[in-house]
Amino acid sequence: MKNTIIYLIGHYGVGKLTIARAIAAATGARVFDNHLANNVIFSLIREDGKTKIPERAWDLIMTIRRQALVAMTELARPDASFILTNALMDADPMDRAAFSEVQAAAEQRRACFVPVTLVASDDTYDIRIPSPEREQRLKMTDAVGARKVRTTRQLLPVLHPHHLTIDTTDIAPDQAARMIIDHAERLA
């Protein structure tokens, strides 16, 4: 895989980071998990995965994400590939901007842009959300709160010709990764 940007989008606990790591292991692509940016701020404000995050924190996080996109477009090797992860909500203007900015970075790099929506069953989310690894990475660990988000906030609908949707309920992360890699390779 060369000069490809894969954007994994899904609710908390769907397996975005795990699948991103599997794609990276198979292809050499670089992972920019949303928590690389989030945790710069979360670690300073002592985010616990349950308390509402102050709105101002998201402005600061977007600044970090934008700088990462600048590094991808201006400093990274032209053949480098990236996997980004995020929970993007339809009603959130900042999430719409985040998607547009990643798409613009792909265009600036003349990269193959592959947005992927990941979904799972409610039971799957409920099992994955309260894990110790999620807590350690300052991710949402409140299964009830995460279910409320899933039922009240829809994911950003992706209208892009390269878009792919994968249900992660009954497939292993390596299998989902292979599906995404195969899809991206067909587009190249």
Side-chain angles (χ1 to χ4, degrees), residues 24-114:
T27 65
R30 299 168 191 166
V31 176
F32 184 63
D33 176 50
N34 62 305
H35 273 267
L36 286 175
N38 296 3
N39 289 355
V40 170
I41 304 304
F42 289 177
S43 65
L44 298 173
I45 63 172
R46 304 242 181 214
E47 165 53 28
D48 63 7
K50 296 176 180 149
T51 307
K52 182 166 174 42
I53 298 162
E55 286 302 316
R56 176 74 174 120
W58 295 113
D59 294 331
L60 299 172
I61 289 166
M62 284 298 286
T63 299
I64 295 165
R65 287 182 188 163
R66 287 181 178 123
Q67 294 307 307
L69 292 175
V70 169
M72 282 181 220
T73 58
E74 296 180 11
L75 302 176
R77 287 189 345 254
D79 64 340
S81 292
F82 302 92
I83 309 117
L84 289 77
T85 69
N86 216 334
L88 301 177
M89 303 302 155
D90 186 28
D92 189 328
M94 194 174 292
D95 287 354
R96 287 181 173 279
F99 182 87
S100 294
E101 290 167 9
V102 171
Q103 186 172 3
E107 290 169 6
Q108 186 175 346
R109 284 183 57 85
R110 293 192 169 108
C112 180
F113 180 56
V114 184

Side-chain angles (χ1 to χ4, degrees), residues 113-127:
F113 180 56
V114 184
V116 180
T117 301
L118 301 173
V119 297
S121 70
D122 281 337
D123 290 340
T124 301
Y125 287 114
D126 290 346
I127 291 167

